[in-house]
Amino acid sequence: SQTIHQWPATLVQPVGSPLSLECTVEGTSNPNLYWYRQAAGRGLQLLFYSVGIGQISSEVPQNLSASRPQDRQFILSSKKLLLSDSGFYLCAWSGGLWTSGSVSYEQYFGPGTRLTVT
Amino acid sequence: TQLLEQSPQFLSIQEGENLTVYCNSSSVFSSLQWYRQEPGEGPVLLVTVVTGGEVKKLKRLTFQFGDARKDSSLHITAAQPGDTGLYLCAGAASGTYKYIFGTGTRLKVLA
């Protein structure tokens, strides 16, 4: 079975400090990977997605960047955090448009990282 | 820009009551997912609907995809306190790898 890990679970960082959040997936190969940010009690905003190693699509211009150094690893980074970067960050994976010859639309989420910038 | 509007935003009901949550868009989606999320956790997938007019049931939850694949509904029969949470719909657009999330419906079921 597939599992997705995120760490750390919570993080408190001062303004201007760097950020690195990591996400890894087990039990699948060549997944599509996603980073979302969620405001309190609201829907999810797509930040970045990746369909392969080194392939990153940015959805929202911001103070963040993403990288995919390995097939099942997705990293969210910032060089200098802003107060507005605070939020709940979620990593997700999907099998993409085709999985084993059939269409697969399911998307699965990690446990999330609560980031507070002070 | 594709948007998914959910209604209502908040719902507080008594145990045993029925409720319906709506997810609407002007865009066509190749599939639509429903998730439930607990505070401080990631969303958990409940169901995926793909075909226009499709109806799926998950115990007391009934999901329907609109004929034109632009809208969906979630109906809960005899709600229980364990149904409390944030319900999210998400649409996958054809030919893309992106999912558009709805604005969310926060449900509270009182014992």
Side-chain angles (χ1 to χ4, degrees), chain A residues 39-53:
Chain A
R42 301 297 289 164
L44 278 62
Q45 179 187 35
L46 178 62
L47 302 176
F48 301 94
Y49 68 97
S50 172
V51 300
I53 295 174

